[in-house]
Amino acid sequence: MNKILVFFFFAICFSQSIFAQEPQPKPTAPRTGSGVGSGRGAGSGSGTGSAPSQAKPTDSSKTEPLKILSKPVPGYTDLARNNSTEGTLRLRVTFSASGEITAVSPVSSLPDGLTEQAIAAARDIKFEPAKRDGVPVSVTKTIEYRFSLIVDENSKGLKSNAEIIEKPDAVHPDEYKSVSGVVTLALVLTADGNVLISGSKTDLPKVFETNAREAATKIKFTPAVLESGKNVSQYKVIEYVFKP
């Protein structure tokens, strides 16, 4: 499938619903600021944290959550790409008190080498251990990796591009009523009907970007379709123009 870009989304979902990784922006809308929003459509789930060989904390215990420092992106295998393999898998990962990943086991898996790619990436996660009363402790969490194919507009093998059918207006901030400008957003319009914001660019105050992002998440669209008849995720760049 020439010119069809393969992209990988994943979310590390702890009980605090930490969003670990977001889609990368297209070159036409360089990423600035904090990146995408809540991660809807990029995988979700609740962690099942535990503390092996640790005493149950008392009400007086002071706990500090695990801090993720880096999250390697797994590779997308040629076999998976050729077979258009997509989906979400879950891994159970032990983040040890020593600061190392000591165990990774699949809760669910994907074919064509994707499970192995996810396990290898998970083993390379860098983190600061959770702490109880200032002492590092081991915790085990369930994490998710979602693999998705994403295509550019008019890519070879496409039957039709994604089409936006409803684009809500962004709210012009009251405190900047006399200010005008543009917020450019790089989106991924997913095969299952969700909107992901992978990047943004603007010279306006932050609140404009926030309002544009909020409006974009409410966009309604029809997904892109491959010649095989299968829905596929697609990149799209849009603008929100603010006028006094």
Side-chain angles (χ1 to χ4, degrees):
M1 207 181 300
N2 294 335
K3 296 184 181 179
I4 291 183
L5 302 183
V6 176
F7 197 80
F8 169 80
F9 300 108
F10 71 89
I12 293 182
C13 301
F14 302 153
S15 56
Q16 298 91 346
S17 298
I18 297 174
F19 185 72
Q21 179 74 24
E22 64 199 29
Q24 297 300 310
K26 296 294 291 177
T28 49
R31 177 176 172 180
T32 61
S34 59
V36 303
S38 62
R40 294 178 300 105
S44 61
S46 58
T48 52
S50 61
S53 303
Q54 299 291 335
K56 184 177 180 180
T58 64
D59 291 339
S60 60
S61 296
K62 181 180 179 181
T63 60
E64 297 178 40
L66 172 72
K67 295 180 181 178
I68 300 297
L69 303 178
S70 66
K71 306 161 288 292
V73 177
Y76 207 111
T77 66
D78 289 339
L79 182 59
R81 180 166 53 252
N82 293 336
N83 291 337
S84 298
T85 303
E86 299 179 281
T88 300
L89 62 83
R90 304 176 73 207
L91 303 176
R92 191 164 176 80
V93 180
T94 298
F95 300 84
S96 74
S98 65
E100 300 177 342
I101 301 295
T102 56
V104 181
S105 59
V107 177
S108 60
S109 60
L110 289 173
D112 299 334
L114 296 184
T115 298
E116 290 77 9
Q117 291 289 330
I119 290 174
R123 291 189 182 279
D124 287 334
I125 292 174
K126 304 302 180 185
F127 65 97
E128 291 183 2
K131 295 180 181 180
R132 183 175 302 135
D133 292 332
V135 179
V137 295
S138 297
V139 295
T140 299
K141 302 288 184 181
T142 299
I143 68 175
E144 288 186 350
Y145 290 88
R146 177 179 176 182
F147 294 84
S148 295
L149 292 172
I150 304 181
V151 301
D152 285 318
E153 289 186 318
N154 303 312
S155 292
K156 185 177 180 179
L158 269 180
K159 179 180 179 181
S160 60
N161 290 308
E163 182 180 353
I164 294 177
I165 56 180
E166 183 179 331
K167 180 186 173 185
D169 293 332
V171 176
H172 198 128
D174 289 335
E175 62 270 37
Y176 296 104
K177 282 299 184 182
S178 61
V179 175
S180 62
V182 177
V183 176
T184 302
L185 298 179
L187 309 179
V188 176
L189 305 181
T190 71
D192 54 5
N194 290 298
V195 178
L196 303 178
I197 304 172
S198 64
S200 59
K201 181 179 181 180
T202 187
D203 294 326
L204 296 172
K206 183 68 175 179
V207 65
F208 285 90
E209 179 186 340
T210 299
N211 290 358
R213 285 171 173 266
E214 182 177 353
T217 61
K218 301 173 184 177
I219 286 174
K220 305 297 182 184
F221 67 96
T222 56
V225 181
L226 297 175
E227 291 177 351
S228 64
K230 180 181 179 180
N231 288 356
V232 66
S233 301
Q234 187 173 57
Y235 288 110
K236 182 83 71 172
V237 176
I238 65 170
E239 291 184 344
Y240 277 97
V241 179
F242 294 87
K243 298 180 180 179

